[in-house]
mmCIF file of all heavy atoms in Angstrom:
data_model
loop_
_atom_site.group_PDB
_atom_site.id
_atom_site.type_symbol
_atom_site.label_atom_id
_atom_site.label_comp_id
_atom_site.label_asym_id
_atom_site.label_seq_id
_atom_site.Cartn_x
_atom_site.Cartn_y
_atom_site.Cartn_z
ATOM 1 N N GLY A 76 6.665 0.946 -10.252
ATOM 2 C CA GLY A 76 7.532 0.280 -9.284
ATOM 3 C C GLY A 76 8.863 -0.138 -9.768
ATOM 4 O O GLY A 76 8.909 -0.881 -10.770
ATOM 5 N N ILE A 77 9.893 0.263 -9.133
ATOM 6 C CA ILE A 77 11.240 -0.164 -9.449
ATOM 7 C C ILE A 77 11.833 -0.868 -8.150
ATOM 8 O O ILE A 77 12.775 -1.639 -8.278
ATOM 9 C CB ILE A 77 12.197 0.974 -9.912
ATOM 10 C CG1 ILE A 77 13.441 0.418 -10.609
ATOM 11 C CG2 ILE A 77 12.573 1.914 -8.827
ATOM 12 C CD1 ILE A 77 13.215 -0.059 -12.002
ATOM 13 N N ALA A 78 11.233 -0.624 -7.021
ATOM 14 C CA ALA A 78 11.677 -1.285 -5.754
ATOM 15 C C ALA A 78 11.389 -2.785 -5.841
ATOM 16 O O ALA A 78 10.424 -3.213 -6.557
ATOM 17 C CB ALA A 78 10.931 -0.657 -4.540
ATOM 18 N N TYR A 79 12.140 -3.607 -5.135
ATOM 19 C CA TYR A 79 11.969 -5.028 -5.232
ATOM 20 C C TYR A 79 10.744 -5.540 -4.438
ATOM 21 O O TYR A 79 10.248 -6.620 -4.692
ATOM 22 C CB TYR A 79 13.232 -5.786 -4.800
ATOM 23 C CG TYR A 79 13.507 -5.923 -3.342
ATOM 24 C CD1 TYR A 79 12.926 -6.951 -2.639
ATOM 25 C CD2 TYR A 79 14.312 -5.018 -2.693
ATOM 26 C CE1 TYR A 79 13.212 -7.084 -1.276
ATOM 27 C CE2 TYR A 79 14.582 -5.148 -1.347
ATOM 28 C CZ TYR A 79 14.008 -6.231 -0.665
ATOM 29 O OH TYR A 79 14.252 -6.314 0.711
ATOM 30 N N LYS A 80 10.205 -4.776 -3.484
ATOM 31 C CA LYS A 80 8.954 -5.162 -2.852
ATOM 32 C C LYS A 80 8.149 -3.890 -2.467
ATOM 33 O O LYS A 80 8.729 -2.761 -2.433
ATOM 34 C CB LYS A 80 9.164 -6.058 -1.690
ATOM 35 C CG LYS A 80 9.837 -5.434 -0.471
ATOM 36 C CD LYS A 80 9.933 -6.473 0.632
ATOM 37 C CE LYS A 80 10.536 -5.872 1.892
ATOM 38 N NZ LYS A 80 10.562 -6.873 2.983
ATOM 39 N N LYS A 81 6.918 -4.117 -2.066
ATOM 40 C CA LYS A 81 6.006 -2.943 -1.794
ATOM 41 C C LYS A 81 6.504 -2.105 -0.636
ATOM 42 O O LYS A 81 7.019 -2.573 0.356
ATOM 43 C CB LYS A 81 4.604 -3.448 -1.617
ATOM 44 C CG LYS A 81 4.311 -4.110 -0.318
ATOM 45 C CD LYS A 81 2.868 -4.680 -0.253
ATOM 46 C CE LYS A 81 1.851 -3.687 -0.212
ATOM 47 N NZ LYS A 81 0.543 -4.233 -0.124
ATOM 48 N N ASP A 82 6.213 -0.809 -0.776
ATOM 49 C CA ASP A 82 6.345 0.168 0.274
ATOM 50 C C ASP A 82 7.678 0.376 0.879
ATOM 51 O O ASP A 82 7.847 0.674 2.022
ATOM 52 C CB ASP A 82 5.337 -0.126 1.363
ATOM 53 C CG ASP A 82 3.883 -0.117 0.924
ATOM 54 O OD1 ASP A 82 3.603 0.420 -0.208
ATOM 55 O OD2 ASP A 82 2.989 -0.731 1.590
ATOM 56 N N ILE A 83 8.790 0.125 0.046
ATOM 57 C CA ILE A 83 10.156 0.370 0.442
ATOM 58 C C ILE A 83 10.842 1.096 -0.692
ATOM 59 O O ILE A 83 10.332 1.149 -1.849
ATOM 60 C CB ILE A 83 10.906 -0.898 0.820
ATOM 61 C CG1 ILE A 83 11.069 -1.816 -0.427
ATOM 62 C CG2 ILE A 83 10.261 -1.626 1.918
ATOM 63 C CD1 ILE A 83 12.070 -2.906 -0.214
ATOM 64 N N ASP A 84 12.018 1.668 -0.434
ATOM 65 C CA ASP A 84 12.767 2.403 -1.449
ATOM 66 C C ASP A 84 14.028 1.565 -1.899
ATOM 67 O O ASP A 84 14.828 2.098 -2.652
ATOM 68 C CB ASP A 84 13.225 3.751 -0.987
ATOM 69 C CG ASP A 84 14.210 3.652 0.207
ATOM 70 O OD1 ASP A 84 14.522 2.480 0.695
ATOM 71 O OD2 ASP A 84 14.724 4.719 0.655
ATOM 72 N N ASP A 85 14.132 0.353 -1.589
ATOM 73 C CA ASP A 85 15.290 -0.544 -1.897
ATOM 74 C C ASP A 85 15.015 -1.186 -3.251
ATOM 75 O O ASP A 85 14.097 -1.970 -3.422
ATOM 76 C CB ASP A 85 15.432 -1.584 -0.800
ATOM 77 C CG ASP A 85 16.755 -2.284 -0.909
ATOM 78 O OD1 ASP A 85 17.446 -2.172 -1.936
ATOM 79 O OD2 ASP A 85 17.101 -3.040 0.053
ATOM 80 N N TYR A 86 15.907 -0.941 -4.179
ATOM 81 C CA TYR A 86 15.772 -1.520 -5.511
ATOM 82 C C TYR A 86 16.928 -2.459 -5.854
ATOM 83 O O TYR A 86 17.105 -2.929 -6.956
ATOM 84 C CB TYR A 86 15.662 -0.461 -6.618
ATOM 85 C CG TYR A 86 16.795 0.486 -6.682
ATOM 86 C CD1 TYR A 86 17.928 0.169 -7.500
ATOM 87 C CD2 TYR A 86 16.770 1.718 -5.977
ATOM 88 C CE1 TYR A 86 19.016 1.024 -7.588
ATOM 89 C CE2 TYR A 86 17.892 2.540 -6.115
ATOM 90 C CZ TYR A 86 18.997 2.202 -6.916
ATOM 91 O OH TYR A 86 20.004 3.075 -6.992
ATOM 92 N N VAL A 108 7.549 4.802 -12.617
ATOM 93 C CA VAL A 108 6.924 5.541 -11.513
ATOM 94 C C VAL A 108 7.096 4.712 -10.247
ATOM 95 O O VAL A 108 6.761 3.507 -10.235
ATOM 96 C CB VAL A 108 5.390 5.761 -11.806
ATOM 97 C CG1 VAL A 108 4.688 6.357 -10.609
ATOM 98 C CG2 VAL A 108 5.209 6.688 -13.013
ATOM 99 N N ASP A 109 7.644 5.318 -9.233
ATOM 100 C CA ASP A 109 7.759 4.670 -7.940
ATOM 101 C C ASP A 109 7.716 5.765 -6.862
ATOM 102 O O ASP A 109 8.583 6.590 -6.812
ATOM 103 C CB ASP A 109 9.103 3.904 -7.817
ATOM 104 C CG ASP A 109 9.137 2.963 -6.636
ATOM 105 O OD1 ASP A 109 8.889 3.413 -5.505
ATOM 106 O OD2 ASP A 109 9.311 1.780 -6.844
ATOM 107 N N PRO A 110 6.700 5.757 -5.967
ATOM 108 C CA PRO A 110 6.588 6.801 -4.962
ATOM 109 C C PRO A 110 7.657 6.737 -3.905
ATOM 110 O O PRO A 110 7.811 7.708 -3.160
ATOM 111 C CB PRO A 110 5.198 6.538 -4.356
ATOM 112 C CG PRO A 110 4.870 5.082 -4.623
ATOM 113 C CD PRO A 110 5.570 4.803 -5.910
ATOM 114 N N TYR A 111 8.451 5.649 -3.836
ATOM 115 C CA TYR A 111 9.414 5.545 -2.735
ATOM 116 C C TYR A 111 10.870 5.752 -3.333
ATOM 117 O O TYR A 111 11.800 6.002 -2.509
ATOM 118 C CB TYR A 111 9.329 4.138 -2.181
ATOM 119 C CG TYR A 111 8.059 3.962 -1.344
ATOM 120 C CD1 TYR A 111 6.925 3.484 -1.938
ATOM 121 C CD2 TYR A 111 8.029 4.279 0.014
ATOM 122 C CE1 TYR A 111 5.760 3.396 -1.225
ATOM 123 C CE2 TYR A 111 6.900 4.141 0.758
ATOM 124 C CZ TYR A 111 5.749 3.697 0.113
ATOM 125 O OH TYR A 111 4.635 3.626 0.844
ATOM 126 N N VAL A 112 11.056 5.610 -4.590
ATOM 127 C CA VAL A 112 12.405 5.713 -5.184
ATOM 128 C C VAL A 112 12.436 6.996 -6.092
ATOM 129 O O VAL A 112 11.651 7.129 -6.995
ATOM 130 C CB VAL A 112 12.748 4.486 -6.067
ATOM 131 C CG1 VAL A 112 14.122 4.677 -6.651
ATOM 132 C CG2 VAL A 112 12.715 3.218 -5.177
ATOM 133 N N LYS A 113 13.301 7.912 -5.708
ATOM 134 C CA LYS A 113 13.386 9.228 -6.458
ATOM 135 C C LYS A 113 14.201 8.998 -7.762
ATOM 136 O O LYS A 113 13.905 9.616 -8.768
ATOM 137 C CB LYS A 113 14.002 10.243 -5.625
ATOM 138 C CG LYS A 113 13.201 10.498 -4.321
ATOM 139 C CD LYS A 113 12.943 11.964 -4.061
ATOM 140 C CE LYS A 113 12.217 12.250 -2.795
ATOM 141 N NZ LYS A 113 10.932 11.617 -2.644
ATOM 142 N N GLU A 114 15.299 8.277 -7.668
ATOM 143 C CA GLU A 114 16.056 7.937 -8.783
ATOM 144 C C GLU A 114 16.821 6.631 -8.453
ATOM 145 O O GLU A 114 16.965 6.268 -7.329
ATOM 146 C CB GLU A 114 17.081 9.038 -9.177
ATOM 147 C CG GLU A 114 18.096 9.332 -8.131
ATOM 148 C CD GLU A 114 19.023 10.463 -8.474
ATOM 149 O OE1 GLU A 114 18.686 11.307 -9.332
ATOM 150 O OE2 GLU A 114 20.100 10.530 -7.889
ATOM 151 N N VAL A 125 12.955 8.981 -11.490
ATOM 152 C CA VAL A 125 11.662 8.285 -11.473
ATOM 153 C C VAL A 125 10.545 9.329 -11.436
ATOM 154 O O VAL A 125 10.608 10.287 -10.670
ATOM 155 C CB VAL A 125 11.566 7.387 -10.177
ATOM 156 C CG1 VAL A 125 10.234 6.698 -10.141
ATOM 157 C CG2 VAL A 125 12.664 6.333 -10.234
ATOM 158 N N LYS A 126 9.570 9.118 -12.258
ATOM 159 C CA LYS A 126 8.504 10.120 -12.396
ATOM 160 C C LYS A 126 7.387 9.908 -11.345
ATOM 161 O O LYS A 126 7.346 8.844 -10.740
ATOM 162 C CB LYS A 126 7.812 9.982 -13.768
ATOM 163 C CG LYS A 126 8.822 10.109 -14.882
ATOM 164 C CD LYS A 126 8.633 11.340 -15.686
ATOM 165 C CE LYS A 126 9.598 11.300 -16.846
ATOM 166 N NZ LYS A 126 9.937 12.471 -17.367
ATOM 167 N N LYS A 127 6.557 10.940 -11.100
ATOM 168 C CA LYS A 127 5.382 10.742 -10.316
ATOM 169 C C LYS A 127 4.210 10.294 -11.172
ATOM 170 O O LYS A 127 4.150 10.678 -12.417
ATOM 171 C CB LYS A 127 5.030 12.095 -9.606
ATOM 172 C CG LYS A 127 6.069 12.470 -8.608
ATOM 173 C CD LYS A 127 5.575 13.640 -7.790
ATOM 174 C CE LYS A 127 6.639 13.953 -6.725
ATOM 175 N NZ LYS A 127 6.165 14.838 -5.755
ATOM 176 N N THR A 143 5.732 -3.466 -8.933
ATOM 177 C CA THR A 143 5.797 -3.367 -7.451
ATOM 178 C C THR A 143 4.398 -2.884 -7.006
ATOM 179 O O THR A 143 3.908 -1.855 -7.521
ATOM 180 C CB THR A 143 6.844 -2.369 -6.992
ATOM 181 O OG1 THR A 143 8.073 -2.714 -7.650
ATOM 182 C CG2 THR A 143 7.070 -2.485 -5.469
ATOM 183 N N ASP A 144 3.772 -3.531 -6.068
ATOM 184 C CA ASP A 144 2.460 -3.212 -5.685
ATOM 185 C C ASP A 144 2.389 -2.272 -4.493
ATOM 186 O O ASP A 144 1.822 -2.606 -3.429
ATOM 187 C CB ASP A 144 1.645 -4.497 -5.387
ATOM 188 C CG ASP A 144 2.309 -5.366 -4.335
ATOM 189 O OD1 ASP A 144 3.523 -5.320 -4.211
ATOM 190 O OD2 ASP A 144 1.606 -6.257 -3.757
ATOM 191 N N HIS A 145 2.949 -1.100 -4.645
ATOM 192 C CA HIS A 145 2.978 -0.083 -3.571
ATOM 193 C C HIS A 145 1.576 0.267 -3.108
ATOM 194 O O HIS A 145 0.639 0.384 -3.927
ATOM 195 C CB HIS A 145 3.716 1.180 -4.001
ATOM 196 C CG HIS A 145 5.160 0.982 -4.183
ATOM 197 N ND1 HIS A 145 5.993 0.535 -3.234
ATOM 198 C CD2 HIS A 145 5.949 1.258 -5.275
ATOM 199 C CE1 HIS A 145 7.240 0.525 -3.622
ATOM 200 N NE2 HIS A 145 7.263 0.934 -4.931
ATOM 201 N N SER A 146 1.394 0.431 -1.811
ATOM 202 C CA SER A 146 0.089 0.871 -1.295
ATOM 203 C C SER A 146 -0.295 2.296 -1.713
ATOM 204 O O SER A 146 -1.493 2.596 -1.682
ATOM 205 C CB SER A 146 0.122 0.805 0.262
ATOM 206 O OG SER A 146 0.425 -0.490 0.689
ATOM 207 N N ASP A 147 0.664 3.116 -2.019
ATOM 208 C CA ASP A 147 0.454 4.459 -2.379
ATOM 209 C C ASP A 147 -0.192 4.625 -3.802
ATOM 210 O O ASP A 147 -0.693 5.748 -4.108
ATOM 211 C CB ASP A 147 1.720 5.289 -2.393
ATOM 212 C CG ASP A 147 2.278 5.464 -1.027
ATOM 213 O OD1 ASP A 147 1.793 4.869 -0.066
ATOM 214 O OD2 ASP A 147 3.230 6.316 -0.869
ATOM 215 N N PHE A 148 -0.156 3.606 -4.603
ATOM 216 C CA PHE A 148 -0.796 3.718 -5.946
ATOM 217 C C PHE A 148 -2.326 3.673 -5.791
ATOM 218 O O PHE A 148 -2.879 2.882 -4.996
ATOM 219 C CB PHE A 148 -0.384 2.546 -6.852
ATOM 220 C CG PHE A 148 1.039 2.675 -7.313
ATOM 221 C CD1 PHE A 148 1.850 1.546 -7.345
ATOM 222 C CD2 PHE A 148 1.566 3.916 -7.735
ATOM 223 C CE1 PHE A 148 3.168 1.619 -7.773
ATOM 224 C CE2 PHE A 148 2.917 3.929 -8.208
ATOM 225 C CZ PHE A 148 3.674 2.796 -8.187
ATOM 226 N N TYR A 150 -5.098 2.322 -7.280
ATOM 227 C CA TYR A 150 -5.394 1.266 -8.296
ATOM 228 C C TYR A 150 -6.701 1.495 -9.042
ATOM 229 O O TYR A 150 -6.788 1.110 -10.207
ATOM 230 C CB TYR A 150 -5.324 -0.099 -7.740
ATOM 231 C CG TYR A 150 -3.881 -0.427 -7.254
ATOM 232 C CD1 TYR A 150 -3.478 -0.295 -5.913
ATOM 233 C CD2 TYR A 150 -2.926 -0.756 -8.212
ATOM 234 C CE1 TYR A 150 -2.154 -0.623 -5.642
ATOM 235 C CE2 TYR A 150 -1.594 -0.970 -7.858
ATOM 236 C CZ TYR A 150 -1.185 -0.941 -6.558
ATOM 237 O OH TYR A 150 0.042 -1.162 -6.237
#
Side-chain angles (χ1 to χ4, degrees):
I77 198 76
Y79 78 87
K80 71 177 182 177
K81 76 187 290 182
D82 301 341
I83 65 165
D84 65 354
D85 192 350
Y86 60 88
V108 171
D109 193 306
Y111 292 88
V112 179
K113 302 226 181 307
E114 64 183 19
V125 176
K126 308 249 185 204
K127 291 189 177 195
T143 312
D144 55 336
H145 290 305
S146 301
D147 290 12
F148 289 137
Y150 291 103

